[in-house]
Amino acid sequence: MKKVIAAINMTLDGFCDHTSGIPDDEIHQYYADLLRSADTALYGRITYQLMEFWRTVLENPTGNKAMDDFAVAIDNTPKIVFSRTLRNVNWKSAKLASQGLVEEVLGLKQQSGKDVFVCSPSLIVALTKLNLIDEYQLCVHPVIAGSGLPLFKNINEKITLKLTKTKTFSGGAVILYYEPVNERTTNG
């Protein structure tokens, strides 16, 4: 069965703002490799529309190998977009979800193939609440943003995780790999 992996960048103070991190060549290359290992990437509308930036890099490469490789990898990765407002997507490797989040994810998990990556804060929160995340890969950048979108907004229960490994980048970012222990208690 496929794993559902929450993979996202965040600041040290827990915000997931794409403009606050420090995406150096090493991090771009890591995420390009990660996308190549994915069967599907799941996006909410906002993150999907942010990621459309990479289509412009495909059309006009930057000359930076890591960024250009990432653009190719994200272009080639099948994407499912969850949105209440978008009526269509025009990225050849993307499609709108045809079912609800639970049905799509459970259907993907049952298929053979590579893992599914969840790349939007709203989807990570929703799937965390549903106990459908098998692994968290949180890339913590050495930045304190002070404000922004908190990653685990509206989680109202304690969720215990087990650290399984770490990866440190030369620029100071660290990926923390966690698996749920499945001990939950409601706060409140």
Side-chain angles (χ1 to χ4, degrees), residues 5 30-40 73 77 113-117 137:
I5 299 171
Y30 173 83
Y31 279 106
D33 293 341
L34 190 69
L35 285 170
R36 283 190 280 273
S37 75
D39 196 48
T40 308
T77 302
K114 301 180 216 172
D115 293 328
V116 175
F117 287 89
Q137 293 183 18

Side-chain angles (χ1 to χ4, degrees), residues 116-144:
V116 175
F117 287 89
V118 185
C119 308
S120 291
S122 61
L123 297 180
I124 290 171
V125 167
L127 292 171
T128 295
K129 288 179 174 183
L130 294 165
N131 199 28
L132 289 175
I133 301 287
D134 298 304
E135 179 179 277
Y136 295 86
Q137 293 183 18
L138 307 176
C139 184
V140 181
H141 290 259
V143 173
I144 297 172

Side-chain angles (χ1 to χ4, degrees), residues 55-178:
R55 293 172 62 194
T56 64
V57 174
L58 273 176
E59 295 164 6
N60 298 297
T62 65
N64 176 298
K65 181 179 178 351
M67 285 181 69
D68 295 345
D69 283 354
F70 180 83
V72 170
I74 197 167
D75 184 56
N76 289 331
T77 302
K79 291 167 270 310
I80 298 176
V81 182
F82 293 84
S83 173
R84 291 182 194 95
T85 57
L86 291 177
R87 296 294 162 238
N88 59 57
V89 291
N90 60 4
W91 197 342
K92 68 176 172 55
S93 57
K95 68 177 186 174
L96 288 171
S98 59
Q99 303 176 79
L101 182 61
V102 172
E103 295 80 13
E104 285 279 358
V105 170
L106 290 177
L108 288 168
K109 281 181 74 103
Q110 296 301 319
Q111 298 172 9
S112 60
K114 301 180 216 172
D115 293 328
V116 175
F117 287 89
V118 185
C119 308
S120 291
S122 61
L123 297 180
I124 290 171
V125 167
L127 292 171
T128 295
K129 288 179 174 183
L130 294 165
N131 199 28
L132 289 175
I133 301 287
D134 298 304
E135 179 179 277
Y136 295 86
Q137 293 183 18
L138 307 176
C139 184
V140 181
H141 290 259
V143 173
I144 297 172
S147 65
L149 176 65
L151 178 55
F152 293 108
K153 182 180 178 180
N154 298 323
I155 298 288
N156 299 317
E157 61 183 317
K158 178 180 174 182
I159 300 169
T160 305
L161 305 172
K162 177 178 128 186
L163 182 68
T164 58
K165 68 180 179 176
T166 63
K167 176 174 180 46
T168 304
F169 295 97
S170 59
V174 178
I175 296 185
L176 304 168
Y177 298 79
Y178 290 104

Side-chain angles (χ1 to χ4, degrees), residues 8 18 43-52 119-122:
I8 198 157
H18 288 274
Y43 290 99
R45 178 192 56 82
I46 294 170
T47 307
Y48 169 76
Q49 289 177 322
L50 286 169
M51 293 298 109
E52 285 186 308
C119 308
S120 291
S122 61

